[in-house]
Amino acid sequence: MKKILCIIFGCIIPFLLAADIAPSDQHLVDNTVQFTNLDDFSEIAILGYIVGPSYDSPSFFIIKNNEVLQKGYKFNDLGLYWASTKYIDSVGINNIVINSNIGPDLYGDEYFKKVTNNPNIFFITSCIDPGDFWVDDVNDLKSQISNYEITGFIGNEIVVYLAKQIQKFRAGEISIKDFDLPEILNLKLNPFADASTSSNTSSE
């Protein structure tokens, strides 16, 4: 049995080491991701949850306005959630019960949706990746800054969109793109407000 385990271990280690070797025909792009209008939504808290090879005991943490998102090791994944600020203040971020029996067959959103059964914690997405990334050397991209904003709420679902992206290239050029606010009917600025206070209605 020990021999079998040694053989398996010997097969895994070279794979992990090879995964961390920089490609010879690619370069790493410094990738910055942040939320830039959280101060406009003080009644809610945006939460992060990281899972991956370097996280043995993952837990929720609060994401602040203009704070650069982090996920640690490149093979880690970041899930985003939101909750009432009052609820987080009363319960405590470290007291949210985490599911420890999530099957390894789940990936992406399906995994993060099962992280907790707490009805006061609402999942947003796991598609926003704050990690640096590789591009081919023919691509001159050097760094990228992506600014996300909250638009509002539809029921318990929060609407987040990419508001601005700044790209810098090795030759010195800078590309700045501003994206239009999406038009969504029945959007509320306050998730706890009555539907009559919607910022957009179907009659508009």
Side-chain angles (χ1 to χ4, degrees), residues 40 61 101:
D40 296 335
F61 57 91
N101 59 345

Side-chain angles (χ1 to χ4, degrees), residues 128-191:
I128 297 178
D129 189 353
D132 295 342
F133 56 90
W134 296 93
V135 296
D136 293 336
D137 281 336
V138 293
N139 187 332
D140 217 22
L141 184 61
K142 179 181 179 181
S143 65
Q144 178 171 282
I145 300 174
S146 298
N147 294 336
Y148 284 86
E149 291 188 358
I150 297 173
T151 304
F153 302 81
I154 301 177
N156 290 331
E157 292 193 10
I158 191 172
V159 181
V160 172
Y161 84 108
L162 177 60
K164 186 173 186 177
Q165 192 168 73
I166 302 172
Q167 294 181 319
K168 296 182 179 180
F169 299 87
R170 289 183 292 183
E173 300 94 337
I174 298 178
S175 171
I176 301 177
K177 296 179 181 178
D178 292 295
F179 300 94
D180 293 332
L181 187 74
E183 294 184 9
I184 303 175
L185 298 178
N186 301 315
L187 191 71
K188 295 190 298 181
L189 293 179
N190 187 335

Side-chain angles (χ1 to χ4, degrees), residues 45-47 49 60 79-82 112-113 115 121-124:
I46 298 296
L47 311 178
Y49 184 93
F60 287 101
L80 298 176
Y81 304 77
W82 74 272
F112 286 101
K113 288 177 182 177
V115 162
I121 309 296
F122 304 99
F123 175 69
I124 303 175

Side-chain angles (χ1 to χ4, degrees), residues 27-134:
H27 64 274
L28 194 63
V29 174
D30 181 19
N31 185 36
T32 298
V33 179
Q34 58 195 357
F35 283 90
T36 55
N37 74 333
L38 297 187
D39 290 345
D40 296 335
F41 295 87
S42 59
E43 69 278 5
I44 70 163
I46 298 296
L47 311 178
Y49 184 93
I50 299 173
V51 66
S54 65
Y55 270 75
D56 296 328
S57 301
S59 59
F60 287 101
F61 57 91
I62 295 177
I63 293 173
K64 299 178 181 179
N65 193 58
N66 290 325
E67 178 182 66
V68 178
L69 299 186
Q70 304 286 345
K71 70 171 185 176
Y73 187 48
K74 65 182 179 181
F75 290 125
N76 292 345
D77 290 312
L78 171 68
L80 298 176
Y81 304 77
W82 74 272
S84 163
T85 301
K86 290 183 178 179
Y87 177 77
I88 297 299
D89 290 342
S90 64
V91 173
I93 190 73
N94 296 321
N95 295 321
I96 300 173
V97 177
I98 305 294
N99 288 333
S100 59
N101 59 345
I102 306 176
D105 55 321
L106 296 176
Y107 299 94
D109 284 3
E110 292 306 311
Y111 177 92
F112 286 101
K113 288 177 182 177
K114 296 182 179 294
V115 162
T116 181
N117 295 325
N118 191 318
N120 299 290
I121 309 296
F122 304 99
F123 175 69
I124 303 175
T125 184
S126 63
C127 294
I128 297 178
D129 189 353
D132 295 342
F133 56 90
W134 296 93

Side-chain angles (χ1 to χ4, degrees), residues 188 190 192-198:
K188 295 190 298 181
N190 187 335
F192 314 109
D194 184 81
S196 61
T197 63
S198 301

